[in-house]
Amino acid sequence: MLGLGIAGAGIATLAGQGISLAIMYICVRSRCSVVRLHISDLWSFRYGVRIVRTGLPSFLRQGLMCLAAVMISRSCRQYGDGAMAGITVANKIFAVIFAVLVGYGQGFAPVCGFAYGAGLSSRVRASLRFTMITAVIFMCAMGAATWVWASEVAGVFLHEGGTQAMQLAALSLRAHAISMPFAAVCLVTGMYYQALGAYGKATLISALRQGVCFIPLVFILPRMYGVDGVAFVQTAADVLAGIVSAFYLLYTNEK
């Protein structure tokens, strides 16, 4: 931005967030919105508790992603700049794909929540079934494409990263390709419970992927397999979280 380098990127991010906040505030204060914002509500303890309880799963989902990125970077540090570049690029590419899945899940949540509030249990089940199946199919397709073109995609971002960076980026992308359907199961399950108001279950599922499963693995796998272990940390965490989420969903729905 204007030749300011990293500082310019920070300024652009701050400006973008500020403009987005202003636009959203204008929308909710206008007569065009069915949702109205009153400043006095910000000081209501009752509303505050409800907001925190409702938003905690999303907070964990995003917050633990940041923590995971920091921990991965620290694990890569001992293997040099090439390893850092390769793993970082692969994780960022996967983050773009995962962001599409998050947006899909955010479209599913209100539909499921409205149906649940209206007592339409059959519609709740139908929306969950449709979203889960299509999300898994989408991630399978993206995983297949990522596996086939891993080297080419990594090469777009690693012009001068060296052989180590390219090899690790391709390895990490193919590892992500394996775990993408499992990540879909975990995300949809968490948003399902969040839409139903089961905040404890939603918080637990949200903490699985990059908290409960990820944190132990980021210490174990690099010690066992070196830099290749770093490349497989997120994959192993996604697979475990997806399996646990699937069993938990089946168990609780049966009850």
Side-chain angles (χ1 to χ4, degrees):
M1 177 181 175
L2 302 178
L4 297 177
I6 297 298
I11 294 170
T13 301
L14 177 61
Q17 295 292 336
I19 293 171
S20 299
L21 176 62
I23 293 173
M24 291 181 65
Y25 181 75
I26 292 171
C27 288
V28 297
R29 291 291 292 174
S30 69
R31 295 181 179 180
C32 300
S33 174
V34 296
V35 178
R36 303 303 300 274
L37 175 66
H38 301 281
I39 299 299
S40 59
D41 292 340
L42 297 177
W43 313 112
S44 170
F45 179 78
R46 180 167 60 92
Y47 287 143
V49 170
R50 292 176 62 183
I51 290 169
V52 171
R53 186 176 62 178
T54 304
L56 184 58
S58 297
F59 172 78
L60 279 177
R61 193 178 298 119
Q62 299 299 323
L64 288 173
M65 285 179 65
C66 298
L67 177 62
V70 171
M71 296 182 74
I72 281 290
S73 296
R74 290 179 62 86
S75 295
C76 289
R77 186 171 55 185
Q78 60 182 309
Y79 301 108
D81 293 341
M84 177 79 75
I87 299 296
T88 300
V89 165
N91 287 343
K92 293 298 183 183
I93 294 171
F94 173 70
V96 172
I97 299 172
F98 191 75
V100 177
L101 182 65
V102 171
Y104 189 60
Q106 288 176 338
F108 153 73
V111 173
C112 183
F114 291 150
Y116 180 75
L120 303 174
S121 57
S122 61
R123 184 168 294 183
V124 172
R125 290 193 296 269
S127 64
L128 172 62
R129 189 182 307 112
F130 174 82
T131 305
M132 185 69 77
I133 292 172
T134 52
V136 170
I137 291 174
F138 168 75
M139 291 301 269
C140 285
M142 294 304 299
T146 301
W147 182 280
V148 173
W149 290 297
S151 299
E152 289 78 4
V153 173
V156 174
F157 302 95
L158 290 171
H159 299 293
E160 301 176 359
T163 303
Q164 183 191 26
M166 282 291 298
Q167 290 177 344
L168 274 175
L171 175 66
S172 184
L173 281 173
R174 290 193 170 99
H176 282 306
I178 297 171
S179 65
M180 284 183 187
F182 296 91
V185 172
C186 184
L187 179 75
V188 173
T189 302
M191 288 193 166
Y192 168 71
Y193 287 124
Q194 192 172 0
L196 266 54
Y199 305 118
K201 295 176 181 178
T203 301
L204 173 63
I205 297 300
S206 296
L208 272 179
R209 182 172 169 263
Q210 291 186 303
V212 176
C213 296
F214 182 92
I215 292 175
L217 289 170
V218 79
F219 292 105
I220 295 171
L221 292 184
R223 289 188 178 185
M224 295 178 63
Y225 303 106
V227 68
D228 290 346
V230 179
F232 277 89
V233 168
Q234 188 64 68
T235 296
D238 284 344
V239 171
L240 286 175
I243 292 172
V244 172
S245 298
F247 277 106
Y248 191 74
L249 179 63
L250 292 173
Y251 174 75
T252 54
N253 276 0
E254 285 179 359
K255 293 184 67 176

